[in-house]
Amino acid sequence: MNTPRYLFVLGIGEGESARPMWPDLHQPFQGEADVDGSWYAWRLTGANHRELGRSCRVFADLRSARDAATTLRERVQDAEVTVLAVPRTGAWGWRLQLDGVAVATSSRSSARHRECIYNANTFVAAAGIAALTDSDPPPVWQLAETLHPDIEP
C-alpha cells in the first residue's frame, strides 16, 4: 500500500533563473541557493502520487532540505495554516507556518475557499505520517553530484 512521502527536488540556474516560481501568493522568495545557484526543496505527495504541497523555502544542500521536512513531519500539529486569496486571479491558496516562519505552501490554487481548506487539511494530515525518501537520487541528479560530490543521497 502506498503512503504519502516527501520527495526532494534539485534546481539549478544562474541569477534570477535559479529562483523557483512557486511561492505564488504574492509572497517573496525565501531561502538560500548554493554559491553555484543550485538549490534543494521538498514536495509532499499523497498515496496516489499527487502533489499535496511543497516547501516555500529552498535550501543550499540536500541535508538541510531533509532536516526541514523532518522537522515539519515531527511538528506539523504545531503549525498554523493561513488561507489566502490570490489577488490577481481570485483563486485560493494556503501557507503553513511553524514558529512564525513559512515552511509550506499549496502547490496549486483552488477555485473555491472550501476546496482550499480541504487541501490544506489533507496536507496537514499527510505531513505527519509521510515517509522521507532515502533512495539514491534519479539519474538527472548526476549533475548535482558533480557540483556537490560530498552530499550523500
Side-chain angles (χ1 to χ4, degrees):
M1 179 177 193
N2 291 329
T3 60
R5 63 186 175 149
Y6 291 92
L7 302 175
F8 296 92
V9 179
L10 168 66
I12 299 175
E14 294 181 17
E16 287 303 309
S17 68
R19 304 294 191 199
M21 301 297 291
W22 62 78
D24 183 41
L25 304 174
H26 290 273
Q27 304 292 323
F29 172 82
Q30 297 174 336
E32 296 292 328
D34 198 3
V35 294
D36 64 7
S38 65
W39 50 264
Y40 294 85
W42 56 259
R43 295 179 179 185
L44 178 63
T45 61
N48 63 356
H49 307 291
R50 183 174 178 156
E51 187 175 331
L52 302 175
R54 52 181 68 174
S55 61
C56 53
R57 303 183 67 80
V58 296
F59 306 91
D61 57 64
L62 181 57
R63 185 168 315 281
S64 297
R66 285 184 194 269
D67 290 347
T70 299
T71 298
L72 177 60
R73 185 176 63 181
E74 293 170 354
R75 297 194 52 218
V76 70
Q77 296 307 320
D78 299 331
E80 179 181 327
V81 178
T82 304
V83 175
L84 305 165
V86 179
R88 70 177 189 271
T89 64
W92 295 89
W94 56 265
R95 279 266 170 141
L96 191 130
Q97 294 184 340
L98 276 174
D99 302 325
V101 176
V103 295
T105 188
S106 50
S107 52
R108 64 182 55 83
S109 58
S110 302
R112 294 175 181 82
H113 182 263
R114 72 174 183 257
E115 292 168 353
C116 188
I117 298 280
Y118 175 83
N119 292 338
N121 288 336
T122 300
F123 176 89
V124 168
I129 62 170
L132 285 162
T133 58
D134 58 0
S135 60
D136 290 336
V140 295
W141 281 36
Q142 290 174 353
L143 176 58
E145 291 173 0
T146 62
L147 295 173
H148 303 284
D150 55 333
I151 292 179
E152 295 179 20

